[in-house]
Amino acid sequence: DAKTTQPNSMESNEEEPVHLPCNHSTISGTDYIHWYRQLPSQGPEYVIHGLTSNVNNRMASLAIAEDRKSSTLILHRATLRDAAVYYCILRALYNTDKLIFGTGTRLQVFP
Amino acid sequence: NAGVTQTPKFQVLKTGQSMTLQCAQDMNHEYMSWYRQDPGMGLRLIHYSVGAGITDQGEVPNGYNVSRSTTEDFPLRLLSAAPSQTSVYFCASSPAGLAGDDEQYFGPGTRLTVT
């Protein structure tokens, strides 16, 4: 499976936008880009995913580079509840067995 | 929908004891899986199932058994607990079919300590 690289940690102030980067230079044409987050003492939670085009949902936006070698998760207005570890994961179209979680980015949000 | 439920929330075992972690989902998902998460690390896949009667090993299967007799349930059995199995265990499910385009739903976790 292709690998992703994320910064270990990032900080933001409440109500400011947050851009969480992810590099995936070995991505293949059928790999979907998934983002999950894990709040303290909870299970991972799906955030968003996409293949080529930018995606928006109620939680976040996903911006995918034209060459697909990187992507950015955008939280438009950070809240204290957004403090979590964010995982960027590649998932092959026909890979039914697993999500490969790296160590993710720990986002701290300050009031 | 309750989503994915796991029991117990916490468990302490002595080395050599066996136990079963329960996982159930009410979303009629075909795919279910078990992960473990050690401190400061990401999740690692233990076992998974693509449907009732079908299971397969993940990244770290040693010391664990699974079975899938119904769509709803996917229990994880620790055969002879060891301190190295101290971890937080998460169960997940997702709809059937092509995996790349679906999302996984995770349970709240079971925190297991083996002394």
Side-chain angles (χ1 to χ4, degrees), chain A residues 88-101:
Chain A
C88 170
I89 300 161
L90 300 184
R91 207 141 182 238
L93 178 63
Y94 297 104
N95 180 349
T96 59
D97 59 355
K98 58 183 180 282
L99 295 174
I100 297 180
F101 285 78

Side-chain angles (χ1 to χ4, degrees), chain B:
Chain B
N1 284 353
V4 179
T5 57
Q6 292 183 238
T7 55
K9 283 187 169 44
F10 302 94
Q11 183 70 48
V12 179
L13 289 178
K14 293 189 190 314
T15 297
Q17 288 183 318
S18 62
M19 79 158 296
T20 299
L21 307 185
Q22 301 292 343
C23 174
Q25 52 91 8
D26 60 358
M27 298 173 282
N28 203 33
H29 287 170
E30 291 293 329
Y31 179 78
M32 296 185 73
S33 55
W34 276 100
Y35 293 85
R36 61 176 286 174
Q37 185 173 35
D38 300 313
M41 296 181 66
L43 279 72
R44 292 184 293 169
L45 183 70
I46 305 171
H47 284 286
Y48 66 97
S49 168
V50 298
I54 306 168
T55 64
D56 207 345
Q57 295 182 351
E59 187 183 356
V60 288
N62 292 341
Y64 307 95
N65 269 359
V66 292
S67 60
R68 184 96 180 269
S69 55
T70 66
T71 299
E72 294 78 19
D73 301 299
F74 191 44
L76 178 73
R77 297 184 190 84
L78 279 69
L79 308 173
S80 177
S84 61
Q85 293 178 304
T86 294
S87 189
V88 182
Y89 291 83
F90 292 101
C91 180
S93 74
S94 62
L98 302 175
D101 197 23
D102 71 6
E103 61 187 84
Q104 288 209 3
Y105 298 80
F106 285 83
T110 293
R111 188 175 296 273
L112 176 68
T113 302
V114 183
T115 61

Side-chain angles (χ1 to χ4, degrees), chain A residues 27-41:
Chain A
I27 191 170
S28 73
T30 55
D31 284 343
Y32 283 79
I33 302 160
H34 286 246
W35 284 83
Y36 283 75
R37 72 179 185 181
Q38 188 172 21
L39 279 63
S41 300

Side-chain angles (χ1 to χ4, degrees), chain A:
Chain A
D1 295 283
K3 187 179 172 179
T4 63
T5 305
Q6 300 176 251
N8 287 336
S9 63
M10 293 186 65
E11 297 177 353
S12 175
N13 293 319
E14 207 174 4
E15 298 191 6
E16 288 185 353
V18 181
H19 290 232
L20 297 166
C22 181
N23 288 320
H24 29 78
S25 59
T26 59
I27 191 170
S28 73
T30 55
D31 284 343
Y32 283 79
I33 302 160
H34 286 246
W35 284 83
Y36 283 75
R37 72 179 185 181
Q38 188 172 21
L39 279 63
S41 300
Q42 294 190 26
E45 175 187 28
Y46 168 82
V47 177
I48 199 167
H49 77 282
L51 184 62
T52 56
S53 303
N54 294 345
V55 184
N56 300 299
N57 66 21
R58 64 174 180 81
M59 290 180 68
S61 295
L62 176 60
I64 301 172
E66 195 168 337
D67 63 4
R68 301 211 322 127
K69 293 183 186 300
S70 66
S71 60
T72 303
L73 179 70
I74 302 166
L75 307 179
H76 295 286
R77 290 184 65 194
T79 68
L80 296 178
R81 194 191 174 278
D82 291 322
V85 179
Y86 287 79
Y87 296 99
C88 170
I89 300 161
L90 300 184
R91 207 141 182 238
L93 178 63
Y94 297 104
N95 180 349
T96 59
D97 59 355
K98 58 183 180 282
L99 295 174
I100 297 180
F101 285 78
T103 51
T105 297
R106 181 173 297 278
L107 174 66
Q108 289 183 283
V109 180
F110 298 105

